[in-house]
Amino acid sequence: MSIDALTLLAPLTGWVVPLSEVPDPVFAGGMMGEGVAIEPADGRVYAPCAGTISQLAKTGHALTLSSDAGADILIHVGIDTVLLNGAGFTARVREGQRVAVGETLIEFDADRVAQGAKSLQTVVLVVNGDAFAPASLGLGRVEGGETALMSVNPRGQTSDEAALSASGEALLAQATVRHGGGLHARPSALVQAAAKPFAARVEVRFGGRSAKAASVVGLMRLGTDEGDTVEVSAQGADAAAALAAVVAAIETVTTVPEPTPTPAVPQAAQQGPRFAGVCAAPGLAVGTLVRLDHGLPELAETPAGADAEFTRLASALASVREQIDAMVHGARARGLTQQADIYSAHLALLDDPELAATAENSVANGMAAGAAFRQAVQVQADELRALDNPLLRERVSDLNDIARQVLTQLAGGRLPEPELAEQSILLADDLAPSELTRLPRERVAGFVTAQGGATSHVAIIARAMGIPALVAAGDGVLGLPAGREVVLDAAAGLLDAEPEAATLSEARQRLALLRDQSARRFAAAHDPALSRDGVRVEVAANIGSLADVEEAVRCGADGVGLLRTEFLFLERDSLPNAAEQRDSYQAIVDALAGKTAIIRTLDVGGDKSLPYLPLPPEPNPALGLRGIRSGFARPEVLEAQLEGLLSVKPLARCRILLPMITDVAELIAVRALIDQIAAQLGVTERPEVGVMIEVPSAAVLADQLSEHADFLSIGTNDLTQYALAMDRCHPGLAAQIDGLHPALLRLVKLTVDGAARHGRWVGVCGALASEPAAVPVLVGLGVAELSVGAALVPQIKAQVRELSVDQCRQEALAMLGLPSAQAVRERVAAVWPQP
Ligand code: PEP
Ligand code: MG
């Protein structure tokens, strides 16, 4: 690591000329300070570094920016421009204001100023030359806010002295971007999260641009690609640790979502009524074109004064933050990990300090909150659009997505509901993730967009939801009238806007065959899933709400295998009391029409939080007070929940599941509590009590636990995290954290064997149970129940019916000896090829 000199970016676009050539003896002679001049090519002045505006001429033609390290930089637009008395100048900042690097400081009408002044040459000087020495980085053309212009070094300090100085000069390191596709939204969110715990200010530089590590958009705007080397600087008391964390985040290996990005200018080909595009999610659909015209809403706002507008903006941002947070939790509850990750990245975008600073600046300058936010997003979006990297350009739709939500919030209303057809094929310029996920799934047959790409977030979601999608189909599609019947063959990359009768009927036949298969599966879903050799496997549903139970019943689930109660109470602002909880659980048991619900006690802490149950911050939340441990830490919460559960009737249909049990003492303690509460309530019956196997110790001690538990349910999400020591939310580890790892399979086997000693059954309620590749392996290891996303029940039951459990057993036992998850997956694919 070496000491970082402050690098000033060019404050204007134009041509750098030596200071000595400026037609003003005071500037040219260096009497005001050392520096350079720029012959401007346009009329915008950007902040050359982050800092505070320490002086602003009333006429708006000059200002001094004090960098955080203390260098005072004077930017004086033109020569003798003071005589214009402000004509042609608009200051975009005020004295005392903090600005981010690259932020617009002054705008001026170059033609007008050129006519009234001696010269447009703009000097950039360090005026406290006693403390800081500037060094020009060269002449020639520079881009405002982008090209490095000067380095500014503290005088009289060696590098090492400066490193040790109390204020702490910036420490510098280089890092290689290892994220596939460069620092796009989710990797940038990872870098932002890495910098967050530290007080140090961390910046990342690349290609003459600079971004705060706290700014997701700024990081994206750097336009990096995989393999690029960036410079990272950190300044502040904990700079060294911050620097190391950010470098590690930049160097984390992640893969770009398949397939590779699409070209920005779609290579769309239109042949008559057939439009070619890029397949974002395969599938066939016949449906009615429905236009989604979703430009950003225009607000009719009259600014109500800066203070009032600040408050409006802050409260709109807070509401949208809450909504997106709920979407993250909701998606996680349903096992939709990719969707949850995408919405987490939206949260990071919303919290981007640059976005907020730009909007706040405009508000300070008299703009209304909506217009200010809209403009701030526009600036960032334009910059992303200008980048070479298609993956980053696709993030514009994410920015627009949050802008739409904030503006809608400011307008005090909801987005207008589009008029959907029975089977709609949505048509839009581009589509944002929340626009798709808020629509009723059953009425969306597919979508087509003029823009976009196969790696956009909405494409990832479409694949996960099984919605056929064609993107980058070109502007021509936007001319198609709504209401016509079209055929979308996304896998073939085609939209047929005027299908001939034969095409329509062939597409309908193919769809009918698929529908028949799914209808057959659906019809059979209410029957038990018996393997070819007659072994019954229970297929239950994971749920998070009463609405999910209805879906579970409709899809033929044999019961509820996991109700995550933390999701049931997510939308409340206080913890429900015992009676309220009883009502919720009772409604779920009643809706199950005779089947059984396994209800898990609150699992907060780690990756899950409830706003009204704040837990103290912890250095290692995943290893801290979570699951049943938080219940022991807040006994009144656990007791109220057990009281609610013990009041459900009939108790035989309500099983209690305990999360994050480590060993038998915890189980015995909860059992004693159940007995005590039941006695107080006068309840003589006891519900079955099960233990989640999520901690490796629980799998190893399964035989002991089974002595006191009625059943065990393996939470593969956590068990994988803890067995492989890989954070389940770490995007950089997503490719390696695989539940089919042989280490996991051995833990499953230990669990089943331990349970068998006491005649207990074992289920799996983690996401692995929903994976077709894992089903034969888990069944082969002796798992008796698979609890999956409700919609998957018919498919998983159909799969079980094709299996021979005997063969599964032989294969699964052999897999325990394989060296890697990949080897297991290859073996599964060879033995049970997926259609
Ligand atoms: C698990 O860990 O696999 C599980 C089902 O629990 P959750 O995902 O809610 O932590
Ligand atoms: Mg878990």
Side-chain angles (χ1 to χ4, degrees), residues 546-584:
L546 184 57
D548 290 348
V549 187
E550 281 144 25
E551 166 90 340
V553 171
R554 210 175 55 81
C555 294
D558 295 326
V560 163
L562 171 66
L563 163 61
R564 289 175 164 104
T565 52
E566 57 281 4
F567 295 122
L568 201 54
F569 306 126
L570 203 59
E571 263 140 42
R572 294 180 53 110
D573 45 21
S574 63
L575 189 68
N577 62 28
E580 288 170 316
Q581 293 196 48
R582 178 204 55 215
D583 292 349
S584 301

Coordinates of all heavy atoms in Angstrom, one line a residue, residues 546-584:
L546 N -51.6 -16.9 4.9 CA -52.9 -17.7 4.8 C -53.1 -17.9 3.3 O -53.6 -18.9 2.9 CB -54.0 -16.9 5.4 CG -55.4 -17.5 5.4 CD1 -55.3 -18.9 6.1 CD2 -56.4 -16.6 6.1
A547 N -52.8 -16.9 2.5 CA -53.0 -17.0 1.0 C -52.2 -18.2 0.5 O -52.7 -18.9 -0.4 CB -52.6 -15.7 0.3
D548 N -51.0 -18.4 1.0 CA -50.2 -19.5 0.5 C -50.9 -20.9 0.8 O -50.7 -21.8 0.1 CB -48.9 -19.5 1.2 CG -48.0 -18.4 0.7 OD1 -48.3 -17.7 -0.3 OD2 -46.9 -18.1 1.4
V549 N -51.7 -20.9 2.0 CA -52.3 -22.2 2.3 C -53.3 -22.6 1.2 O -53.4 -23.7 0.8 CB -53.1 -22.1 3.6 CG1 -53.6 -23.5 4.1 CG2 -52.3 -21.5 4.7
E550 N -54.1 -21.5 0.8 CA -55.1 -21.8 -0.3 C -54.4 -22.4 -1.5 O -54.8 -23.4 -2.1 CB -55.8 -20.5 -0.6 CG -56.9 -20.3 0.5 CD -57.1 -18.8 0.8 OE1 -56.8 -18.0 -0.1 OE2 -57.5 -18.5 1.9
E551 N -53.3 -21.8 -1.9 CA -52.5 -22.3 -3.0 C -52.0 -23.7 -2.7 O -52.1 -24.6 -3.6 CB -51.3 -21.3 -3.2 CG -50.2 -21.8 -4.1 CD -50.4 -21.4 -5.6 OE1 -51.6 -21.1 -6.0 OE2 -49.5 -21.4 -6.4
A552 N -51.6 -24.0 -1.5 CA -51.1 -25.3 -1.2 C -52.2 -26.3 -1.3 O -52.0 -27.4 -1.9 CB -50.5 -25.3 0.3
V553 N -53.4 -26.0 -0.8 CA -54.5 -27.0 -0.9 C -54.8 -27.2 -2.4 O -55.0 -28.3 -2.8 CB -55.7 -26.4 -0.1 CG1 -56.9 -27.3 -0.4 CG2 -55.4 -26.4 1.4
R554 N -54.9 -26.1 -3.1 CA -55.2 -26.2 -4.6 C -54.2 -27.1 -5.3 O -54.6 -27.8 -6.2 CB -55.2 -24.8 -5.1 CG -56.1 -24.5 -6.3 CD -56.1 -23.0 -6.7 NE -54.7 -22.6 -7.0 CZ -54.1 -22.7 -8.1 NH1 -54.7 -23.4 -9.1 NH2 -52.9 -22.3 -8.3
C555 N -53.0 -27.0 -4.9 CA -51.9 -27.8 -5.6 C -51.7 -29.2 -5.1 O -50.8 -29.9 -5.5 CB -50.6 -27.0 -5.6 SG -50.7 -25.5 -6.4
G556 N -52.6 -29.6 -4.1 CA -52.5 -31.0 -3.6 C -51.5 -31.3 -2.6 O -51.1 -32.4 -2.4
A557 N -51.0 -30.3 -1.9 CA -50.0 -30.5 -0.9 C -50.5 -31.5 0.2 O -51.7 -31.4 0.5 CB -49.5 -29.2 -0.2
D558 N -49.7 -32.4 0.7 CA -50.1 -33.3 1.7 C -50.2 -32.6 3.1 O -50.6 -33.3 4.1 CB -49.2 -34.5 1.8 CG -49.2 -35.3 0.5 OD1 -50.3 -35.4 -0.1 OD2 -48.1 -35.8 0.1
G559 N -49.9 -31.4 3.1 CA -49.9 -30.6 4.4 C -49.0 -29.4 4.3 O -48.5 -29.2 3.2
V560 N -48.8 -28.7 5.4 CA -47.8 -27.6 5.4 C -46.6 -28.2 6.1 O -46.7 -28.6 7.2 CB -48.4 -26.4 6.1 CG1 -47.3 -25.4 6.5 CG2 -49.4 -25.7 5.2
G561 N -45.5 -28.2 5.4 CA -44.3 -28.7 6.0 C -43.5 -27.7 6.7 O -42.6 -28.0 7.5
L562 N -43.8 -26.4 6.4 CA -43.1 -25.3 7.1 C -43.9 -24.1 7.0 O -44.1 -23.6 5.8 CB -41.7 -25.1 6.5 CG -40.9 -23.9 7.0 CD1 -40.6 -24.0 8.5 CD2 -39.6 -23.7 6.2
L563 N -44.4 -23.5 8.1 CA -44.9 -22.2 8.1 C -43.9 -21.3 8.8 O -43.6 -21.5 10.0 CB -46.3 -22.1 8.9 CG -46.7 -20.7 9.3 CD1 -47.0 -19.8 8.1 CD2 -48.0 -20.8 10.1
R564 N -43.3 -20.4 8.0 CA -42.3 -19.5 8.6 C -43.1 -18.3 9.3 O -43.6 -17.4 8.6 CB -41.4 -18.9 7.5 CG -40.5 -19.9 6.9 CD -39.7 -19.2 5.8 NE -38.5 -19.9 5.4 CZ -38.4 -20.7 4.3 NH1 -39.5 -20.9 3.5 NH2 -37.3 -21.3 4.0
T565 N -43.3 -18.4 10.6 CA -44.2 -17.4 11.3 C -43.6 -16.0 11.2 O -44.4 -15.1 11.3 CB -44.4 -17.8 12.7 OG1 -43.2 -18.1 13.4 CG2 -45.3 -19.1 12.8
E566 N -42.3 -15.9 11.0 CA -41.8 -14.5 11.0 C -42.4 -13.8 9.7 O -42.5 -12.6 9.8 CB -40.3 -14.5 10.9 CG -39.5 -15.2 9.9 CD -39.4 -16.7 10.2 OE1 -40.0 -17.2 11.1 OE2 -38.8 -17.4 9.3
F567 N -42.7 -14.5 8.7 CA -43.3 -13.9 7.5 C -44.8 -13.6 7.7 O -45.4 -12.7 7.1 CB -43.1 -14.7 6.3 CG -41.7 -14.8 5.9 CD1 -41.0 -16.0 5.9 CD2 -40.9 -13.7 5.7 CE1 -39.7 -16.1 5.6 CE2 -39.6 -13.8 5.4 CZ -38.9 -15.0 5.4
L568 N -45.4 -14.4 8.6 CA -46.9 -14.2 8.8 C -47.1 -12.8 9.5 O -48.1 -12.2 9.3 CB -47.3 -15.3 9.8 CG -48.7 -15.7 9.9 CD1 -49.3 -16.0 8.5 CD2 -48.9 -16.9 10.8
F569 N -46.1 -12.4 10.2 CA -46.3 -11.1 11.0 C -45.5 -10.0 10.5 O -45.2 -9.0 11.2 CB -46.0 -11.4 12.5 CG -46.8 -12.5 13.0 CD1 -46.2 -13.6 13.7 CD2 -48.2 -12.5 12.9 CE1 -47.0 -14.6 14.2 CE2 -49.0 -13.6 13.3 CZ -48.4 -14.6 14.0
L570 N -45.0 -10.1 9.3 CA -44.1 -9.2 8.7 C -44.7 -7.8 8.5 O -44.1 -6.8 8.7 CB -43.6 -9.7 7.3 CG -42.3 -9.2 6.8 CD1 -41.2 -9.4 7.8 CD2 -42.0 -9.8 5.4
E571 N -46.0 -7.8 8.1 CA -46.6 -6.5 7.8 C -47.2 -5.8 9.0 O -47.7 -4.7 8.9 CB -47.7 -6.7 6.7 CG -47.1 -6.5 5.3 CD -47.5 -7.4 4.3 OE1 -48.7 -7.7 4.2 OE2 -46.7 -7.8 3.5
R572 N -47.0 -6.4 10.2 CA -47.5 -5.7 11.4 C -46.4 -4.7 11.9 O -45.2 -4.9 11.5 CB -47.8 -6.7 12.4 CG -49.0 -7.6 12.1 CD -49.2 -8.5 13.2 NE -49.3 -7.8 14.5 CZ -50.4 -7.7 15.2 NH1 -51.5 -8.2 14.8 NH2 -50.4 -7.0 16.3
D573 N -46.8 -3.8 12.8 CA -45.8 -3.0 13.4 C -45.6 -3.3 14.8 O -44.8 -2.7 15.5 CB -46.0 -1.5 13.1 CG -47.4 -1.1 13.4 OD1 -48.1 -1.8 14.1 OD2 -47.8 0.0 12.9
S574 N -46.3 -4.3 15.3 CA -46.0 -4.8 16.7 C -46.2 -6.3 16.7 O -47.0 -6.8 15.9 CB -46.9 -4.1 17.7 OG -48.2 -4.5 17.4
L575 N -45.6 -6.9 17.7 CA -45.7 -8.4 17.7 C -47.1 -8.7 18.2 O -47.6 -8.2 19.2 CB -44.7 -8.9 18.8 CG -44.6 -10.4 18.8 CD1 -44.0 -11.0 17.5 CD2 -43.8 -10.9 20.0
P576 N -47.8 -9.6 17.5 CA -49.2 -10.0 17.9 C -49.2 -10.7 19.3 O -48.2 -11.4 19.6 CB -49.7 -10.9 16.8 CG -48.5 -11.4 16.1 CD -47.4 -10.4 16.3
N577 N -50.2 -10.5 20.1 CA -50.3 -11.2 21.4 C -50.7 -12.6 21.1 O -51.0 -13.0 20.0 CB -51.2 -10.4 22.3 CG -52.6 -10.4 21.8 OD1 -53.1 -11.3 21.1 ND2 -53.3 -9.3 22.2
A578 N -50.8 -13.4 22.2 CA -51.1 -14.8 22.1 C -52.4 -15.1 21.4 O -52.5 -16.0 20.5 CB -51.1 -15.5 23.5
A579 N -53.4 -14.3 21.7 CA -54.7 -14.5 21.1 C -54.7 -14.2 19.6 O -55.3 -15.0 18.8 CB -55.8 -13.6 21.8
E580 N -54.0 -13.1 19.3 CA -54.0 -12.8 17.8 C -53.2 -13.9 17.1 O -53.6 -14.3 16.0 CB -53.2 -11.5 17.6 CG -54.1 -10.3 18.1 CD -53.3 -9.0 18.1 OE1 -52.1 -9.0 18.6 OE2 -53.8 -8.0 17.7
Q581 N -52.2 -14.4 17.7 CA -51.4 -15.5 17.1 C -52.3 -16.7 16.9 O -52.3 -17.4 15.9 CB -50.2 -15.8 17.9 CG -49.2 -14.7 17.9 CD -47.8 -15.1 18.3 OE1 -47.3 -16.1 17.9 NE2 -47.2 -14.3 19.2
R582 N -53.0 -17.1 18.0 CA -53.9 -18.2 17.9 C -54.8 -18.1 16.7 O -55.0 -19.0 15.9 CB -54.7 -18.4 19.2 CG -55.7 -19.5 19.2 CD -56.9 -19.3 20.1 NE -57.5 -18.0 19.9 CZ -58.1 -17.2 20.8 NH1 -58.0 -17.5 22.1 NH2 -58.7 -16.1 20.4
D583 N -55.4 -16.9 16.5 CA -56.4 -16.7 15.4 C -55.7 -17.0 14.1 O -56.3 -17.6 13.2 CB -56.9 -15.3 15.5 CG -57.9 -15.1 16.7 OD1 -58.2 -16.1 17.3 OD2 -58.2 -13.9 17.0
S584 N -54.5 -16.5 13.9 CA -53.8 -16.7 12.7 C -53.5 -18.2 12.4 O -53.7 -18.7 11.3 CB -52.4 -15.9 12.7 OG -52.6 -14.6 12.9

